[in-house]
Amino acid sequence: MELEIDESEEERLRRRIRELELSLERETARRKTAEAALETKRFSVKNLQQHPKVFKFYTDFTEEQFSCLLEFLGDGMNNLTYWGSSSASNSNNEDLGGSKPGPSRKLTAEDELLLLSQSHVSRIITTWVNAMFHRFKEVEIWPMREQAFANLPEKVREFCPTLRCIIDATEIYIEQPKNPEAQQLTFSTYKNHNTLKSLIGISGDGAINFVSTLEGGSISDRDLTVKSGILGKDWAKGDVLMADRGFEIQDDLAPLGVKLNIPPFLKGKGQFQEDELVETRRIAKFRIHVERSIERIKNYHIFDYVPITLCSSGIIDQMFFVSAMLTNFLPPLVSDDKEISDMTS
């Protein structure tokens, strides 16, 4: 027996279907409006780019510098194997795609890069740091001798025409290790805390040209310099290495023919001679720039206090190196003529 529906019932059902369709269209429109409003408030590169000052605040980069960094890192960043997946390893530089992908990507590559300085999303951060570390390691940051001299600002060249590098050591606080031997190795008498220590070098124009691996905070400046490998660079007779008084490496530099330029010591004298005071001031004005370079690295506040898990995994070395390399995308520290003139006066 066939079901018969009279015309009035059929018309009523049609009206009801139409009402439901209109209701669905309204709800869809309302949802799209809400999503659009939410999208404008989302923490993303696209939205931050609408406000250059806010973008600079969160990234420490201009939009152009950020794009330059992303371009340098390459298309491989769109196909990362995420840390924590079964195929993840320390070789994102060798196979950025991986045979078995991790979790599906929720963010664009540029938004994940933005997370590096704003989020504690450890899987994304670890993956990106590892990949960026290997990408940056492909670049030789120690300049050739001719290039180093050619890039010296004019006033710097007048004062020290063969300056190859200015060095200084820096320490970052870490959580106290449980192992007594590790406690002793990392305890810094200078900081009265457990730390890791790195040697940083800059060129005469302020660009970072050397970053050592992190060592236990108990290491001396001299031992850190020797262990870092910087003395194995392509030094030549007549080159100048500038440092603070604590770097007693004259004997290590002598076989290389490299001059150590450090502030003079009193050596039992009651006071400095006038020429020694002038020399001390000039060297101090040069050295301030390596301190400013280190300050740029530490602007990434993950180094304010490092948990021991980052030390034991070794990822802290990669984080420190990557952060140092990121600062080279910022405007030069030594570029303003007046500033350079002040340095050498």
Side-chain angles (χ1 to χ4, degrees):
M1 179 178 179
E2 294 183 0
L3 181 64
E4 295 183 0
I5 301 178
D6 57 29
E7 290 185 6
S8 59
E9 180 65 11
E10 183 178 352
E11 182 62 26
R12 187 185 69 79
L13 291 174
R14 286 176 178 169
R15 285 199 305 271
R16 180 56 180 163
I17 291 172
R18 181 56 181 161
E19 289 173 359
L20 292 174
E21 289 175 343
L22 290 173
S23 178
L24 178 61
E25 289 177 3
R26 287 193 296 269
E27 289 301 320
T28 300
R30 276 196 291 266
R31 180 173 178 175
K32 288 182 178 179
T33 300
E35 288 177 345
L38 183 63
E39 179 64 25
T40 61
K41 297 179 180 180
R42 190 170 68 87
F43 189 80
S44 66
V45 170
K46 179 181 178 181
N47 288 334
L48 290 180
Q49 286 172 338
Q50 308 303 313
H51 310 280
K53 290 184 178 179
V54 177
F55 189 90
K56 183 73 165 58
F57 174 81
Y58 279 112
T59 66
D60 206 27
F61 285 166
T62 63
E63 181 182 342
E64 182 180 3
Q65 291 163 349
F66 188 86
S67 298
C68 179
L69 170 61
L70 196 61
E71 181 180 352
F72 167 79
L73 294 174
D75 294 336
M77 294 302 183
N78 292 306
N79 303 293
L80 292 173
T81 299
Y82 284 85
W83 202 267
S85 67
S86 60
S87 60
S89 67
N90 288 335
S91 58
N92 259 318
N93 61 315
E94 298 172 1
D95 181 8
L96 295 178
S99 58
K100 181 180 179 181
S104 59
R105 194 171 206 150
K106 304 295 184 182
L107 303 172
T108 64
E110 62 180 6
D111 283 342
E112 287 190 351
L113 177 57
L114 179 65
L115 283 176
L116 287 177
S117 56
Q118 296 301 321
S119 175
H120 296 291
V121 186
S122 60
R123 177 175 289 175
I124 292 177
I125 290 179
T126 303
T127 300
W128 271 78
V129 165
N130 179 257
M132 291 170 73
F133 172 79
H134 289 293
R135 180 69 180 96
F136 283 132
K137 276 293 186 180
E138 295 174 1
V139 180
E140 177 53 69
I141 61 173
W142 181 265
M144 299 293 290
R145 191 169 191 255
E146 295 76 12
Q147 180 185 1
F149 295 161
N151 289 339
L152 288 176
E154 182 179 352
K155 293 294 184 180
V156 177
R157 187 181 298 110
E158 290 176 5
F159 175 68
C160 191
T162 58
L163 178 65
R164 287 296 298 276
C165 189
I166 308 172
I167 61 171
D168 200 2
T170 186
E171 298 181 62
I172 58 176
Y173 293 103
I174 64 169
E175 181 183 2
Q176 184 182 52
K178 294 181 179 180
N179 182 284
E181 185 178 349
Q183 288 181 23
Q184 184 178 6
L185 180 68
T186 60
F187 188 78
S188 167
T189 54
Y190 178 69
K191 296 290 188 180
N192 195 32
H193 202 284
N194 294 93
T195 68
L196 294 177
K197 193 172 183 179
S198 175
L199 184 74
I200 302 295
I202 66 168
S203 301
D205 58 359
I208 290 180
N209 63 9
F210 185 83
V211 184
S212 77
T213 56
L214 292 162
E215 303 290 343
S218 64
I219 194 170
S220 68
D221 289 343
R222 186 263 172 186
D223 290 344
L224 175 63
T225 304
V226 172
K227 190 174 182 179
S228 72
I230 194 171
L231 301 182
K233 295 297 183 179
D234 64 332
W235 299 94
K237 185 177 180 180
D239 287 350
V240 171
L241 172 64
M242 190 175 290
D244 200 7
R245 289 190 182 94
F247 288 85
E248 299 178 1
I249 53 176
Q250 295 91 332
D251 293 342
D252 302 290
L253 293 175
L256 305 174
V258 176
K259 178 185 176 182
L260 178 63
N261 195 331
I262 61 175
F265 290 86
L266 276 174
K267 295 181 180 179
K269 296 181 293 186
Q271 60 184 14
F272 286 119
Q273 299 295 322
E274 180 61 29
D275 59 338
E276 292 176 325
L277 286 174
V278 172
E279 184 74 3
T280 299
R281 285 196 295 266
R282 285 183 172 180
I283 294 174
K285 288 180 179 179
F286 272 98
R287 287 195 62 262
I288 193 66
H289 292 291
V290 72
E291 295 172 6
R292 291 172 64 196
S293 293
I294 290 170
E295 182 181 1
R296 280 180 163 184
I297 298 173
K298 290 186 175 181
N299 280 340
Y300 296 96
H301 291 288
I302 191 171
F303 302 120
D304 290 349
Y305 187 78
V306 177
I308 200 64
T309 51
L310 290 183
C311 303
S312 58
S313 68
I315 194 67
I316 188 62
D317 258 313
Q318 295 187 356
M319 286 181 172
F320 192 81
F321 182 80
V322 166
S323 298
M325 292 302 95
L326 290 177
T327 67
N328 278 345
F329 284 82
L330 298 175
L333 281 173
V334 186
S335 60
D336 182 75
D337 289 341
K338 181 179 184 303
E339 179 182 34
I340 296 170
S341 178
D342 291 343
M343 287 171 52
T344 56
S345 62

